Amino acid sequence: MSLSVQFLSLLAMIGTGIVAGAFMDMIGTGTAHAGKKSIIRKRAVWLEVIGWILVGCWTFYILYLVRDGAWRIYDPFAQISGMLLYVTTFYKPFRFFGRILLVLFIRPLLFLARLVVSIVSLVIRFIVKVLAVLFTPFVKIFRIISGKLFKRRVK
């Protein structure tokens, strides 16, 4: 393996460390901001374990693309240095980008979903109330007739 390939694979492992740090930070932030009784908070440990498994699989996929899956002893050190680089340098830009995504995409989508659900709920309530008003005379007639026909006789 040439020196340039080793250098590029080292940079790839540092890059996977940066992305892994951002991904795990995203999971940690998401679980921390979930409600105290939320299912996300209750399953936080499992989410982090699944996150680490995904990071590991993704890292080995990158290794497969870069070096045909060959693992070197400096790979874990490169990945740890990438995670430390994320914490020291890329933490604030990634958080800023995440806030922009939240404000521009996620919150409007959640608003639209809540709006659609509330409109559908209002339409269903309206239909139920209209049907209740239409069937009220029939219900009253049924109660009167059934009360007179099926009186219980006490001995």
Side-chain angles (χ1 to χ4, degrees), residues 4-63:
S4 63
V5 172
Q6 285 183 355
F7 181 70
L8 288 176
S9 66
L10 177 73
L11 289 179
M13 286 298 101
I14 291 173
T16 60
I18 291 170
V19 172
F23 183 69
M24 294 313 294
D25 183 42
M26 180 183 69
I27 291 174
T29 303
T31 56
H33 285 86
K36 290 185 180 181
K37 295 183 179 182
S38 170
I39 193 155
I40 294 172
R41 177 76 64 95
K42 291 178 183 176
R43 307 286 188 243
V45 173
W46 288 105
L47 287 173
E48 288 205 23
V49 168
I50 290 170
W52 281 112
I53 290 171
L54 288 174
V55 164
C57 292
W58 181 70
T59 299
F60 281 111
Y61 177 71
I62 297 297
L63 273 176

Coordinates of all heavy atoms in Angstrom, one line a residue, residues 4-63:
S4 N 0.4 7.5 -0.1 CA -0.7 8.3 -0.3 C -2.1 7.6 0.0 O -3.0 8.2 0.6 CB -0.8 8.8 -1.8 OG -0.9 7.7 -2.6
V5 N -2.1 6.3 -0.2 CA -3.3 5.6 0.1 C -3.5 5.5 1.6 O -4.6 5.6 2.2 CB -3.3 4.2 -0.5 CG1 -4.4 3.3 0.0 CG2 -3.4 4.3 -2.0
Q6 N -2.3 5.3 2.3 CA -2.4 5.2 3.8 C -2.8 6.6 4.4 O -3.6 6.6 5.3 CB -1.0 4.8 4.3 CG -0.7 3.4 4.2 CD 0.6 3.0 4.8 OE1 1.4 3.9 5.3 NE2 0.9 1.7 4.8
F7 N -2.3 7.7 3.8 CA -2.7 9.0 4.3 C -4.2 9.3 4.0 O -4.9 9.8 4.9 CB -1.8 10.1 3.6 CG -2.1 11.5 4.0 CD1 -1.8 11.9 5.3 CD2 -2.8 12.4 3.2 CE1 -2.1 13.1 5.7 CE2 -3.1 13.6 3.6 CZ -2.7 14.0 4.9
L8 N -4.7 8.9 2.8 CA -6.1 9.1 2.6 C -7.0 8.2 3.5 O -8.0 8.6 3.9 CB -6.4 8.8 1.1 CG -5.9 9.8 0.1 CD1 -6.2 9.4 -1.3 CD2 -6.5 11.2 0.4
S9 N -6.5 7.0 3.8 CA -7.3 6.2 4.7 C -7.2 6.7 6.1 O -8.2 6.6 6.8 CB -6.8 4.7 4.6 OG -5.5 4.6 5.1
L10 N -6.1 7.3 6.5 CA -6.0 8.0 7.8 C -7.0 9.1 7.8 O -7.7 9.3 8.8 CB -4.6 8.4 8.1 CG -4.4 9.2 9.4 CD1 -4.5 8.2 10.5 CD2 -3.1 9.9 9.4
L11 N -7.1 9.9 6.8 CA -8.0 11.0 6.7 C -9.5 10.5 6.8 O -10.3 11.1 7.4 CB -7.8 11.9 5.5 CG -6.5 12.8 5.5 CD1 -6.4 13.6 4.2 CD2 -6.5 13.7 6.7
A12 N -9.7 9.4 6.1 CA -11.0 8.8 6.1 C -11.4 8.4 7.5 O -12.6 8.6 7.9 CB -11.1 7.7 5.1
M13 N -10.5 7.8 8.2 CA -10.8 7.4 9.6 C -11.0 8.6 10.5 O -11.9 8.5 11.4 CB -9.7 6.5 10.1 CG -9.7 5.1 9.5 SD -11.2 4.2 9.9 CE -12.1 4.3 8.4
I14 N -10.2 9.6 10.3 CA -10.5 10.8 11.1 C -11.8 11.4 10.8 O -12.6 11.8 11.7 CB -9.3 11.9 10.9 CG1 -8.0 11.4 11.5 CG2 -9.7 13.2 11.4 CD1 -6.8 12.2 11.1
G15 N -12.2 11.4 9.5 CA -13.5 11.9 9.1 C -14.6 11.0 9.7 O -15.7 11.5 10.1
T16 N -14.5 9.7 9.7 CA -15.5 8.8 10.4 C -15.6 9.1 11.9 O -16.6 9.1 12.4 CB -15.2 7.3 10.1 OG1 -13.9 7.0 10.7 CG2 -15.3 7.0 8.7
G17 N -14.4 9.5 12.5 CA -14.5 9.9 13.9 C -15.3 11.2 14.1 O -16.0 11.3 15.0
I18 N -15.1 12.1 13.2 CA -15.8 13.4 13.3 C -17.3 13.1 13.1 O -18.2 13.6 13.9 CB -15.3 14.4 12.2 CG1 -13.9 14.9 12.6 CG2 -16.3 15.6 12.1 CD1 -13.3 15.7 11.5
V19 N -17.7 12.3 12.1 CA -19.1 12.0 11.9 C -19.7 11.2 13.0 O -20.8 11.4 13.4 CB -19.3 11.3 10.5 CG1 -20.7 10.8 10.3 CG2 -18.9 12.3 9.4
A20 N -18.9 10.3 13.5 CA -19.3 9.4 14.7 C -19.6 10.3 15.9 O -20.6 10.1 16.6 CB -18.3 8.3 15.0
G21 N -18.7 11.3 16.1 CA -18.9 12.2 17.3 C -20.1 13.0 17.1 O -20.9 13.2 18.0
A22 N -20.4 13.5 15.9 CA -21.6 14.3 15.6 C -22.8 13.4 15.8 O -23.8 13.9 16.4 CB -21.5 14.9 14.2
F23 N -22.8 12.2 15.3 CA -24.0 11.3 15.4 C -24.3 11.0 16.8 O -25.4 11.0 17.3 CB -23.7 10.0 14.6 CG -24.8 9.1 14.5 CD1 -26.0 9.4 13.8 CD2 -24.7 7.8 15.1 CE1 -27.0 8.5 13.8 CE2 -25.8 7.0 15.1 CZ -26.9 7.3 14.4
M24 N -23.3 10.6 17.6 CA -23.5 10.3 19.0 C -23.9 11.5 19.8 O -24.7 11.4 20.7 CB -22.3 9.6 19.6 CG -21.9 8.3 19.0 SD -23.3 7.1 18.8 CE -23.7 6.9 20.5
D25 N -23.4 12.7 19.4 CA -23.8 13.9 20.1 C -25.3 14.2 19.8 O -26.1 14.6 20.6 CB -23.0 15.1 19.6 CG -23.3 16.4 20.3 OD1 -23.6 16.3 21.5 OD2 -23.4 17.4 19.6
M26 N -25.7 13.9 18.5 CA -27.1 14.1 18.1 C -28.0 13.1 18.9 O -29.1 13.6 19.4 CB -27.3 13.8 16.6 CG -28.7 14.0 16.1 SD -28.8 13.6 14.4 CE -28.6 11.8 14.4
I27 N -27.6 11.9 19.1 CA -28.4 11.0 19.9 C -28.5 11.4 21.4 O -29.5 11.4 22.0 CB -27.8 9.5 19.8 CG1 -28.1 9.0 18.4 CG2 -28.5 8.6 20.8 CD1 -27.4 7.7 18.1
G28 N -27.3 11.8 21.9 CA -27.3 12.3 23.3 C -28.2 13.5 23.5 O -28.9 13.6 24.5
T29 N -28.1 14.5 22.6 CA -28.9 15.7 22.7 C -30.4 15.4 22.5 O -31.2 15.9 23.3 CB -28.5 16.7 21.6 OG1 -27.1 17.0 21.7 CG2 -29.3 18.0 21.7
G30 N -30.7 14.5 21.6 CA -32.1 14.1 21.4 C -32.7 13.4 22.6 O -33.9 13.7 23.0
T31 N -32.0 12.6 23.3 CA -32.5 11.9 24.4 C -32.5 12.8 25.6 O -33.4 12.7 26.5 CB -31.7 10.6 24.8 OG1 -30.3 11.0 25.0 CG2 -31.8 9.6 23.7
A32 N -31.6 13.8 25.7 CA -31.6 14.7 26.8 C -32.8 15.7 26.8 O -33.3 16.1 27.8 CB -30.3 15.5 26.9
H33 N -33.2 16.1 25.5 CA -34.3 17.0 25.4 C -35.6 16.3 25.3 O -36.6 17.0 25.2 CB -34.0 17.9 24.2 CG -33.0 18.9 24.4 ND1 -31.6 18.6 24.2 CD2 -33.0 20.2 24.8 CE1 -30.9 19.7 24.4 NE2 -31.8 20.7 24.8
A34 N -35.7 15.0 25.4 CA -37.0 14.3 25.4 C -37.6 14.5 26.8 O -36.9 14.8 27.7 CB -36.8 12.9 25.1
G35 N -38.9 14.4 26.8 CA -39.6 14.5 28.1 C -39.2 13.5 29.1 O -38.7 12.4 28.7
K36 N -39.4 13.8 30.4 CA -39.0 12.8 31.4 C -39.7 11.5 31.3 O -39.1 10.5 31.7 CB -39.1 13.4 32.8 CG -38.2 14.6 33.0 CD -38.3 15.1 34.4 CE -37.3 16.2 34.6 NZ -37.3 16.7 36.0
K37 N -40.9 11.5 30.9 CA -41.7 10.3 30.8 C -41.8 9.7 29.3 O -42.5 8.8 29.0 CB -43.1 10.5 31.3 CG -43.1 10.8 32.8 CD -44.5 10.9 33.3 CE -44.5 11.2 34.8 NZ -45.9 11.3 35.3
S38 N -40.9 10.3 28.5 CA -40.9 9.9 27.1 C -40.3 8.5 26.9 O -39.4 8.1 27.6 CB -40.1 10.9 26.3 OG -39.9 10.5 25.0
I39 N -40.8 7.8 25.9 CA -40.2 6.5 25.6 C -38.8 6.6 25.1 O -38.0 5.7 25.3 CB -41.1 5.8 24.6 CG1 -40.7 4.3 24.5 CG2 -41.0 6.4 23.2 CD1 -41.8 3.4 24.1
I40 N -38.5 7.8 24.5 CA -37.1 8.0 24.1 C -36.2 8.1 25.3 O -35.1 7.5 25.3 CB -37.0 9.3 23.2 CG1 -37.8 9.1 21.9 CG2 -35.5 9.7 22.9 CD1 -37.9 10.3 21.1
R41 N -36.6 8.7 26.3 CA -35.8 8.8 27.5 C -35.6 7.5 28.2 O -34.6 7.1 28.7 CB -36.4 9.9 28.5 CG -35.7 10.1 29.8 CD -34.4 10.9 29.7 NE -34.5 12.2 29.3 CZ -34.6 13.3 30.1 NH1 -34.7 13.1 31.4 NH2 -34.7 14.5 29.6
K42 N -36.7 6.7 28.2 CA -36.7 5.4 28.9 C -35.8 4.4 28.1 O -35.2 3.5 28.7 CB -38.1 4.8 29.0 CG -39.0 5.6 29.9 CD -40.4 5.0 29.9 CE -41.3 5.8 30.8 NZ -42.7 5.3 30.8
R43 N -35.7 4.6 26.8 CA -34.9 3.7 26.0 C -33.6 4.3 25.6 O -33.0 3.9 24.6 CB -35.6 3.2 24.8 CG -37.0 2.6 25.1 CD -36.9 1.2 25.6 NE -38.2 0.6 25.7 CZ -38.8 0.3 26.9 NH1 -38.2 0.5 28.0 NH2 -40.0 -0.3 26.9
A44 N -33.1 5.3 26.3 CA -31.9 6.0 25.9 C -30.6 5.1 25.8 O -29.8 5.3 24.9 CB -31.6 7.2 26.9
V45 N -30.5 4.2 26.7 CA -29.3 3.3 26.7 C -29.4 2.5 25.4 O -28.3 2.3 24.7 CB -29.3 2.4 27.9 CG1 -28.2 1.4 27.8 CG2 -29.1 3.3 29.2
W46 N -30.5 1.9 25.1 CA -30.6 1.1 23.9 C -30.4 1.9 22.6 O -29.8 1.4 21.6 CB -32.0 0.4 23.8 CG -32.1 -0.7 24.8 CD1 -32.8 -0.6 26.0 CD2 -31.5 -1.9 24.8 NE1 -32.7 -1.8 26.6 CE2 -31.9 -2.6 25.9 CE3 -30.6 -2.6 23.8 CZ2 -31.4 -3.9 26.2 CZ3 -30.2 -3.8 24.1 CH2 -30.6 -4.5 25.3
L47 N -30.9 3.2 22.6 CA -30.6 4.0 21.4 C -29.1 4.3 21.3 O -28.6 4.3 20.1 CB -31.4 5.4 21.6 CG -32.9 5.3 21.4 CD1 -33.5 6.6 21.7 CD2 -33.2 4.9 20.0
E48 N -28.4 4.5 22.4 CA -27.0 4.8 22.3 C -26.2 3.5 21.8 O -25.3 3.6 21.0 CB -26.4 5.3 23.6 CG -26.9 6.7 23.8 CD -25.9 7.4 24.8 OE1 -24.7 7.0 24.9 OE2 -26.4 8.4 25.4
V49 N -26.6 2.4 22.3 CA -26.0 1.1 21.9 C -26.2 0.9 20.4 O -25.3 0.5 19.6 CB -26.5 -0.1 22.7 CG1 -26.1 -1.4 22.1 CG2 -26.0 0.0 24.1
I50 N -27.5 1.1 19.9 CA -27.8 1.0 18.5 C -27.0 2.0 17.7 O -26.5 1.7 16.6 CB -29.3 1.1 18.3 CG1 -30.0 -0.1 18.8 CG2 -29.6 1.3 16.8 CD1 -31.5 0.0 18.9
G51 N -26.8 3.2 18.2 CA -26.0 4.2 17.6 C -24.6 3.8 17.4 O -24.0 4.0 16.4
W52 N -24.0 3.3 18.5 CA -22.6 2.8 18.4 C -22.5 1.6 17.4 O -21.5 1.6 16.7 CB -22.1 2.4 19.8 CG -21.7 3.6 20.6 CD1 -22.3 4.0 21.7 CD2 -20.6 4.5 20.3 NE1 -21.7 5.1 22.2 CE2 -20.6 5.4 21.4 CE3 -19.6 4.6 19.3 CZ2 -19.7 6.5 21.4 CZ3 -18.7 5.6 19.4 CH2 -18.8 6.6 20.4
I53 N -23.4 0.8 17.4 CA -23.4 -0.3 16.4 C -23.5 0.2 15.0 O -22.7 -0.2 14.1 CB -24.5 -1.4 16.7 CG1 -24.2 -2.1 18.0 CG2 -24.7 -2.3 15.5 CD1 -25.4 -3.0 18.5
L54 N -24.3 1.2 14.7 CA -24.4 1.8 13.4 C -23.1 2.5 13.0 O -22.7 2.4 11.9 CB -25.6 2.8 13.4 CG -27.0 2.2 13.3 CD1 -28.0 3.2 13.4 CD2 -27.2 1.3 12.1
V55 N -22.5 3.2 14.0 CA -21.3 3.9 13.7 C -20.2 2.9 13.4 O -19.4 3.1 12.5 CB -20.8 4.7 15.0 CG1 -19.4 5.1 14.9 CG2 -21.7 6.0 15.0
G56 N -20.1 1.8 14.1 CA -19.1 0.7 13.8 C -19.3 0.1 12.5 O -18.4 -0.1 11.7
C57 N -20.6 -0.2 12.1 CA -20.8 -0.8 10.8 C -20.5 0.2 9.7 O -19.9 -0.2 8.6 CB -22.3 -1.2 10.7 SG -22.8 -2.6 11.7
W58 N -20.8 1.5 9.9 CA -20.5 2.5 8.9 C -19.0 2.7 8.7 O -18.5 2.8 7.6 CB -21.2 3.8 9.3 CG -21.0 4.9 8.3 CD1 -21.5 5.0 7.0 CD2 -20.1 6.0 8.5 NE1 -21.0 6.1 6.5 CE2 -20.2 6.8 7.3 CE3 -19.4 6.5 9.5 CZ2 -19.5 8.0 7.2 CZ3 -18.7 7.7 9.4 CH2 -18.7 8.4 8.2
T59 N -18.3 2.6 9.9 CA -16.8 2.7 9.8 C -16.2 1.6 9.0 O -15.3 1.8 8.2 CB -16.3 2.8 11.2 OG1 -16.8 3.9 11.9 CG2 -14.8 2.8 11.2
F60 N -16.7 0.4 9.3 CA -16.1 -0.7 8.5 C -16.5 -0.7 7.0 O -15.8 -1.2 6.2 CB -16.5 -2.1 9.2 CG -15.6 -2.4 10.4 CD1 -16.2 -2.3 11.6 CD2 -14.3 -2.6 10.2 CE1 -15.4 -2.6 12.7 CE2 -13.5 -2.9 11.3 CZ -14.0 -2.9 12.6
Y61 N -17.7 -0.1 6.7 CA -18.0 0.1 5.3 C -17.1 1.1 4.7 O -16.6 0.9 3.5 CB -19.5 0.6 5.2 CG -19.9 0.9 3.8 CD1 -20.1 -0.2 2.9 CD2 -20.1 2.2 3.4 CE1 -20.5 0.1 1.6 CE2 -20.5 2.4 2.1 CZ -20.7 1.4 1.2 OH -21.0 1.7 -0.1
I62 N -16.7 2.1 5.4 CA -15.8 3.1 4.8 C -14.4 2.4 4.7 O -13.7 2.6 3.7 CB -15.7 4.4 5.8 CG1 -17.0 5.1 5.8 CG2 -14.5 5.3 5.3 CD1 -17.4 5.7 4.5
L63 N -14.0 1.6 5.6 CA -12.8 0.9 5.5 C -12.8 -0.1 4.3 O -11.8 -0.2 3.6 CB -12.5 0.0 6.7 CG -11.8 0.7 7.9 CD1 -11.7 -0.3 9.1 CD2 -10.4 1.1 7.5

